[in-house]
Amino acid sequence: MEYIIIIISAILVNNIVLNQFLGVCPFLGVSKKIETAVGMTGAVTFVMVLATIVTFLIQHYILNPLQIGYLQTIAFILVIASLVQLVEIVLKKVSPALYQALGVFLPLITTNCAILGVAILVIQKEFTMVEGVVYAIANAIGFGLALIIFAGLREHLDLQEVPKGLKGVPIAIITAGILAMAFMGFSGIV
């Protein structure tokens, strides 16, 4: 039951993008096409889960025993940056089209505060390794859900007549706000 609460909470109630406002940069930047949003979701999921596992191990087997927990943020950022480089190399070899589609946004994963935020929240909430991985996967799903829904809305908005002053970023931000309010309707479930 505890895992179900973690999953529902991370995906819907405390959505990493729409409730905690972490990862907004790629949320706004990569959400113009559903195909790109799905690719970014996959990359973020891979990095988020792997980063959570590695940072959990670093925290519990290096930082805590040596009593250097104050280096947590720096250590976690270095781990995430290394993992993003790994994802970039793999995507370049496996899917050059997706690599090109993500373009400049792939390096943005390095500075995606959602990944760092999840890694730190796993430690702060004192999750076990399994709970941390479940939490990371659920947050990645929540991130992807928000990103893909928003990409679909933006694709639909491109086909609609929008007043000249609202075209582009202004209507995207208004739409993101409405989507965030829709997700607020899930509060109270867990």
Side-chain angles (χ1 to χ4, degrees):
M1 187 64 174
E2 187 175 329
Y3 294 116
I4 293 171
I5 291 171
I6 290 172
I7 292 168
I8 292 172
S9 175
I11 294 173
L12 299 173
V13 179
N14 293 320
N15 186 284
I16 197 84
V17 177
L18 300 173
N19 188 328
Q20 298 180 39
F21 307 112
L22 297 173
V24 174
C25 215
F27 176 71
L28 291 174
V30 187
S31 60
K32 292 183 181 174
K33 294 183 180 177
I34 292 177
E35 182 181 315
T36 310
V38 170
M40 179 59 104
T41 299
V44 166
T45 301
F46 177 73
V47 172
M48 191 176 285
V49 172
L50 205 55
T52 299
I53 293 168
V54 173
T55 55
F56 182 90
L57 295 172
I58 287 172
Q59 181 72 38
H60 288 282
Y61 294 107
I62 297 173
L63 299 179
N64 288 349
L66 296 175
Q67 297 179 349
I68 53 173
Y70 56 87
L71 293 176
Q72 179 188 60
T73 304
I74 294 170
F76 286 12
I77 288 172
L78 290 173
V79 166
I80 292 166
S82 301
L83 290 173
V84 169
Q85 291 302 314
L86 175 70
V87 168
E88 197 168 352
I89 291 167
V90 169
L91 274 182
K92 200 173 197 179
K93 297 270 186 202
V94 174
S95 179
L98 181 58
Y99 176 78
Q100 288 293 335
L102 292 175
V104 73
F105 298 108
L106 191 56
L108 274 179
I109 295 176
T110 305
T111 58
N112 186 347
C113 54
I115 294 170
L116 179 62
V118 167
I120 291 173
L121 285 170
V122 165
I123 303 301
Q124 286 179 349
K125 293 179 183 232
E126 298 179 356
F127 285 146
T128 63
M129 172 72 93
V130 175
E131 290 171 339
V133 170
V134 168
Y135 184 71
I137 291 169
N139 271 295
I141 291 169
F143 177 85
L145 178 68
L147 188 65
I148 292 166
I149 289 171
F150 190 58
L153 290 171
R154 286 184 78 176
E155 281 186 2
H156 184 72
L157 281 170
D158 287 343
L159 302 174
Q160 304 303 311
E161 290 218 16
V162 178
K164 187 177 180 181
L166 292 177
K167 282 191 186 269
V169 176
I171 195 68
I173 291 174
I174 291 169
T175 305
I178 293 169
L179 187 58
M181 287 191 304
F183 269 70
M184 282 177 60
F186 293 116
S187 61
I189 290 178
V190 179

